[in-house]
């Protein structure tokens, strides 16, 4: 029984969001699909113990969830005054063709649905992170520095809007695609970032999220090979290539300068760099292409000492003009410090913090602490590290900062 339960839990971790996406397409109802999903996994524990694990667990679970939803609608039709509507929904569901062939594309359909322009802009990303990536409301709230109740309310309103407005569950046609692209790219990158550097928890990375974001990026690239799609896919591939070296065997955080570059994935780096060159050659590149170009400069350096920081600072200058952002300013400050010394970086970071920006962003305080440490300003470094420690919710980062504080002592 324990082996079957472990297998069910594995399938849930790896495939539950794809299964949910397909059930939402089949049922046209987020809440009914979620109920059907959990019912299907509950049945799987018993049936798979008795009959064995099916050859295609994902298809089995979608089919089981669909039949469970039909049972729910039948029960509702007996007791509700809206019986004709429910019966029509039930008949449509029973007659729907379910071959299991469209499952791979369903998460991309779901992303475009969650990013539909009819939905409030501040609801699109939380809804996608909740439904596509299974992030909790609390995790999403932390990522957006918002209250969980506010995030939950946005998600509920967005689901109701999709239901009431009958927003189609489909990838838009080519004529509509460009105007819908920005929000979809943003969501896919947020999914990747949550996997590459988790907002909370015991592990630095969640590889199931990075893999899924890259898979969605590849699907989007097939659908619309625009420069920014290439840029985003390249950026994710280049970051992902470094993931094996970002933690020690014991799970401790390893900074970029200290990483064993022989662990970097050469195949992903080569693919990412080729996409960067292809995107930049169009001369229609945007923020994702520029960020990917910065990542490519890191990838091409044989060692930390060989990194072309002058080129990286120049790329950040262009990126800042395209997308003014205090986080990009912070990243540029780190690059300037690498080029011109810790004091130059510290002055830039203090300027950002002095404007009241990034006060609650732990990486800003970590960077300030690091520059103070390098300059021998021990008490300032200690205070900045302590502030960063108060703000971070990720255990490997907490252990790293605690180690730095011990070094200061």
């Amino acid at each position: 029984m324990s082996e079957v339960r472990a297998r069910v839990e594995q399938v849930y971790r790896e495939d539950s969001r794809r299964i949910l996406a397909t059930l939402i397409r089949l049922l046209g109802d987020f809440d009914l699909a979620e109920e059907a999903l959990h019912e299907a996994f509950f049945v799987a524990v018993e049936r798979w113990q008795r009959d064995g694990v099916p050859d295609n667990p994902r298809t089995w679970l979608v089919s089981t969830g669909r039949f469970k939803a039909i049972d729910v609608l039948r029960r509702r039709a007996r007791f509700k005054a809206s019986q004709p509507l429910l019966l029509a929904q039930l008949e449509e569901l029973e007659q729907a063709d379910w071959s299991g062939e469209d499952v791979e594309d369903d998460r991309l359909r779901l992303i475009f649905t969650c990013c539909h322009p009819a939905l409030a802009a501040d609801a699109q990303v939380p809804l996608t992170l909740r439904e596509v990536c299974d992030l909790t409301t609390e995790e999403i709230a932390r990522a957006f520095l918002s209250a969980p109740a506010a995030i939950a309310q946005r998600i509920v309103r967005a689901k109701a809007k999709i239901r009431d407005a009958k927003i189609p569950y489909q990838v838009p046609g080519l004529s509509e695609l460009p105007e819908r692209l920005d929000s979809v790219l943003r969501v896919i990158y947020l999914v990747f970032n949550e996997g590459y550097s988790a907002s909370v928890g015991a592990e630095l990375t969640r590889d199931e999220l990075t893999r899924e974001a890259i898979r969605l990026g590849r699907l989007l690239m097939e659908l619309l090979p625009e420069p920014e799609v290439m840029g985003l896919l390249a950026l994710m591939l280049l970051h992902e290539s470094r993931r094996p070296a970002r933690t020690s065997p014991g799970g401790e955080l390893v900074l970029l300068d200290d990483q064993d570059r022989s662990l970097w994935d050469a195949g992903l780096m080569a693919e990412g760099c080729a996409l960067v060159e292809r995107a930049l050659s169009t001369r229609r590149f945007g923020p994702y292409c520029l960020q990917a170009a910065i990542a490519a400069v890191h990838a091409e350096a044989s060692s930390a000492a060989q990194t072309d920081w002058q080129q990286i600072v120049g790329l950040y200058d262009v990126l800042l003009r395209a997308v003014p952002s205090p986080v990009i300013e912070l990243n540029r400050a780190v690059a300037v410090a690498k080029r011109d010394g810790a004091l130059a970086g510290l002055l830039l970071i203090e300027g950002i913090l002095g404007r009241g920006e990034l006060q609650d962003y732990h990486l800003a305080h970590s960077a300030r602490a690091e520059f103070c440490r390098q300059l021998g300003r021990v008490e300032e470094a200690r205070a900045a590290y302590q502030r960063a420690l108060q703000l971070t919710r990720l255990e490997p980062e907490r252990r790293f900062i605690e180690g730095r504080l011990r070094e200061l002592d």
Side-chain angles (χ1 to χ4, degrees):
M1 182 66 175
S2 59
E3 290 181 7
V4 170
R5 189 176 293 276
R7 177 65 173 134
V8 171
E9 290 173 354
Q10 179 190 9
V11 173
Y12 185 89
R13 285 194 306 272
E14 295 177 357
D15 285 330
S16 63
R17 306 327 281 179
R18 295 183 195 180
I19 295 165
L20 176 65
T22 300
L23 287 170
I24 292 171
R25 172 170 61 84
L26 292 172
L27 305 176
D29 185 309
F30 279 82
D31 295 331
L32 181 59
E34 288 177 0
E35 182 180 347
L37 173 77
H38 293 296
E39 284 285 336
F41 274 96
F42 181 79
V43 172
V45 174
E46 177 186 349
R47 296 270 181 87
W48 294 5
Q49 174 68 22
R50 185 188 70 198
D51 303 333
V53 178
D55 293 336
N56 191 330
R58 194 190 309 165
T59 301
W60 187 96
L61 286 158
V62 170
S63 181
T64 301
R66 176 171 171 258
F67 285 119
K68 286 292 181 183
I70 289 172
D71 289 342
V72 169
L73 291 175
R74 282 176 179 151
R75 289 197 299 271
R76 290 179 185 175
R78 292 192 195 106
F79 299 107
K80 292 207 173 182
S82 57
Q83 187 179 23
L85 291 175
L86 282 170
L87 288 173
Q89 183 183 4
L90 182 59
E91 182 179 356
E92 182 181 347
L93 180 55
E94 288 176 323
Q95 293 177 356
D97 177 39
W98 159 237
S99 63
E101 295 176 355
D102 294 330
V103 175
E104 283 301 320
D105 293 335
D106 277 331
R107 293 189 85 176
L108 196 57
R109 291 189 184 97
L110 181 55
I111 285 181
F112 273 99
T113 302
C114 292
C115 297
H116 196 279
L119 302 179
D122 64 355
Q124 293 176 8
V125 174
L127 178 65
T128 307
L129 292 176
R130 178 72 197 95
E131 299 303 325
V132 178
C133 304
D134 201 22
L135 269 65
T136 66
T137 305
E138 289 73 18
E139 287 171 331
I140 299 168
R142 275 192 288 269
F144 286 91
L145 303 178
S146 299
I151 293 294
Q153 194 173 43
R154 289 181 207 171
I155 292 172
V156 168
R157 282 201 298 260
K159 287 182 181 179
K161 179 73 173 181
I162 290 170
R163 182 188 65 242
D164 298 342
K166 294 182 169 51
I167 289 174
Y169 184 83
Q170 63 188 29
V171 175
L174 288 177
S175 61
E176 303 173 68
L177 204 49
E179 64 180 337
R180 299 269 300 275
L181 190 58
D182 283 349
S183 57
V184 172
L185 291 175
R186 184 176 73 252
V187 166
I188 292 175
Y189 193 39
L190 281 167
V191 173
F192 179 84
N193 276 335
E194 182 60 31
Y196 185 72
S197 184
S199 58
V200 66
E203 303 294 331
L204 181 67
T205 62
R206 296 175 61 183
D207 61 339
E208 74 277 10
L209 291 184
T210 57
R211 284 198 309 269
E212 183 58 27
I214 289 171
R215 191 188 72 82
L216 292 171
R218 292 189 192 282
L219 277 175
L220 195 58
M221 177 80 176
E222 290 176 15
L223 184 68
L224 192 70
E226 287 290 313
E228 277 293 81
V229 179
M230 296 178 207
L232 175 60
L233 180 56
L235 178 60
M236 294 189 296
L237 291 170
L238 289 165
H239 282 330
E240 183 69 1
S241 73
R242 301 201 301 258
R243 187 166 60 83
R246 293 183 63 230
T247 54
S248 70
E252 301 307 316
L253 175 65
V254 180
L255 297 182
L256 179 61
D257 284 357
D258 302 322
Q259 288 175 12
D260 179 356
R261 298 189 177 212
S262 68
L263 298 176
W264 290 5
D265 188 313
L268 292 179
M269 278 196 293
E271 185 183 359
C273 288
L275 278 170
V276 171
E277 290 181 13
R278 183 178 164 191
L280 293 179
S281 70
T282 68
R283 306 194 69 79
R284 293 188 292 116
F285 49 83
Y288 292 111
C289 291
L290 290 167
Q291 291 176 78
I294 292 168
V297 175
H298 285 295
E300 290 164 353
S302 58
S303 67
Q306 297 300 313
T307 305
D308 187 346
W309 290 108
Q310 179 65 33
Q311 186 179 3
I312 289 176
V313 171
L315 287 166
Y316 271 124
D317 289 339
V318 178
L319 182 59
L320 262 176
R321 287 195 293 272
V323 189
S325 157
V327 173
I328 295 173
E329 276 190 74
L330 173 65
N331 293 336
R332 179 184 178 276
V334 173
V336 168
K338 293 290 187 181
R339 185 190 67 181
D340 301 335
L343 182 58
L346 179 62
L347 292 173
L348 291 172
I349 288 176
E350 288 185 337
I352 298 168
L353 293 170
R355 298 197 307 263
E357 296 177 308
L358 303 186
Q359 290 289 344
D360 294 327
Y361 188 47
H362 70 282
L363 293 179
H365 296 282
S366 290
R368 181 175 183 275
E370 182 62 22
F371 296 150
C372 287
R373 185 183 73 87
Q374 293 175 20
L375 294 166
R377 293 158 64 165
V378 175
E379 291 307 315
E380 290 178 74
R382 180 180 290 110
Y385 276 133
Q386 287 171 342
R387 177 60 179 151
L389 190 62
Q390 291 172 348
L391 293 169
T392 186
R393 296 292 180 268
L394 192 60
E395 286 305 316
E397 288 183 341
R398 292 184 64 82
R399 292 195 298 270
F400 179 85
I401 294 170
E402 288 166 350
R404 284 287 201 247
L405 283 168
R406 285 194 297 272
E407 290 173 13
L408 291 177
D409 292 337

